[in-house]
Amino acid sequence: MTNIAICGACGKMGRVINDVISQRDDCTTVAGVDKVAESYADFPVVEKISEITEKPDVIIDFSHPSLLDDLLDYCMTNGVAAVIATTGYSDEQIEKIHKAAESIPVFFTFNMSLGINLLADLAKRAAKLLEGQYDIEIVEKHHNLKIDAPSGTAIMLADAINEELDTKCNYVYDRHSTRAKRTKTEIGIHSVRGGTIVGEHEIIFAGRDEVISLKHEAHSKSVFAVGSVNAAVFLKNKSAGLYAMSDLLAES
């Protein structure tokens, strides 16, 4: 049995994660952390991570980047594994996550969806085959409450593609201020915010007289919740290190 604490427990994702956990017999929610501190199920919810009374095996974090230091401090002090699924981290914060993985197991990815990770794999293969002949653009769409742009997933996809290219590309986020032809060494990344869109990511390979598109649509937050719970169960009893969806899939 994997004992899980949810950081961001009272938010929309936190509640979905608890619902997913409640329907499984290999894990259970033992605590929640949220500034609202509203207990809505059979586990306590505290305002600060330091106030958790029952030590969990793993913490799933779907909260806010500002809480990263407290999260990592608690996990490293108490030997607790962390599934970090929050987006919007700075380069400095990502470096802290990597550093923490030297002493505790950390599962870190910009998107917990199995489908998105498959999309990244397909995009890498396409980029390797099409390099130099096709322009690459990424379009991501999310609901009107999402704060960060572009999405962490869009950056993850761009990074995955760039790793496969012999000639590395720079990322272009906004074209309105530059009146110039598109260069071959760039990946365009574009953000759309509106309505209740859960998450859509499309990778466009535009060549001469043809366009190849790879697309993923998330219709419910549950796809991310299921992935994060799978990651938590996977992470229990793992040695210190940085883990990602590819590691989980390789063990499945």
Side-chain angles (χ1 to χ4, degrees):
M1 180 67 69
T2 302
N3 292 330
I4 299 172
I6 305 170
C7 193
C10 296
K12 291 181 179 178
M13 275 304 306
R15 292 172 185 266
V16 176
I17 290 169
N18 179 61
D19 183 60
V20 171
I21 292 173
S22 69
Q23 297 178 45
R24 297 177 58 147
D25 57 10
D26 58 351
C27 56
T28 186
T29 305
V30 296
V33 181
D34 200 289
K35 62 181 180 181
V36 176
E38 173 192 349
S39 294
Y40 56 88
D42 59 350
F43 59 89
V45 179
V46 296
E47 291 186 27
K48 298 179 181 179
I49 196 167
S50 59
E51 297 172 350
I52 294 177
T53 56
E54 181 176 351
K55 177 184 172 182
D57 297 309
V58 187
I59 292 180
I60 298 177
D61 177 51
F62 261 105
S63 58
H64 189 273
S66 62
L67 300 180
L68 180 66
D69 287 347
D70 288 344
L71 171 70
L72 295 181
D73 286 346
Y74 175 87
C75 289
M76 288 189 289
T77 300
N78 294 281
V80 175
V83 175
I84 301 178
T86 301
T87 61
Y89 289 118
S90 66
D91 291 340
E92 181 182 0
Q93 288 177 310
I94 292 174
E95 180 59 32
K96 289 182 178 180
I97 293 170
H98 284 240
K99 183 68 176 176
E102 295 177 7
S103 57
I104 58 170
V106 176
F107 194 105
F108 178 54
T109 179
F110 288 110
N111 194 297
M112 286 289 171
S113 162
L114 173 60
I116 277 289
N117 285 274
L118 175 59
L119 178 69
D121 184 64
L122 294 172
K124 290 168 67 173
R125 294 165 61 185
K128 197 171 187 66
L129 290 170
L130 305 176
E131 181 175 1
Q133 303 176 62
Y134 290 73
D135 297 322
I136 305 171
E137 299 282 309
I138 299 173
V139 180
E140 57 96 353
K141 303 176 184 178
H142 285 86
H143 53 85
N144 56 23
L145 298 178
K146 186 171 178 63
I147 297 173
D148 56 310
S151 67
T153 300
I155 298 297
M156 179 192 79
L157 293 171
D159 288 346
I161 291 169
N162 220 7
E163 288 175 2
E164 298 298 315
L165 301 177
D166 293 328
T167 302
K168 304 305 178 187
C169 289
N170 62 298
Y171 302 158
V172 176
Y173 303 102
D174 191 355
R175 300 189 186 280
H176 83 277
S177 61
T178 303
R179 298 185 62 82
K181 292 182 178 179
R182 187 193 195 282
T183 68
K184 288 291 185 182
T185 56
E186 66 183 59
I187 296 175
I189 304 177
H190 314 278
S191 300
V192 176
R193 297 289 176 268
T196 58
I197 301 171
V198 175
E200 296 181 14
H201 293 83
E202 181 177 14
I203 304 168
I204 301 166
F205 295 89
R208 180 166 180 170
D209 299 327
E210 67 176 353
V211 175
I212 302 168
S213 294
L214 300 174
K215 186 177 182 180
H216 176 270
E217 298 182 10
H219 295 162
S220 166
K221 291 180 182 293
S222 65
V223 298
F224 311 119
V226 170
S228 67
V229 175
N230 285 338
V233 173
F234 161 84
L235 213 55
K236 183 182 180 182
N237 298 326
K238 286 289 188 293
S239 58
L242 191 66
Y243 299 88
M245 190 63 72
S246 57
D247 300 299
L248 188 156
L249 295 176
E251 193 171 287
S252 299

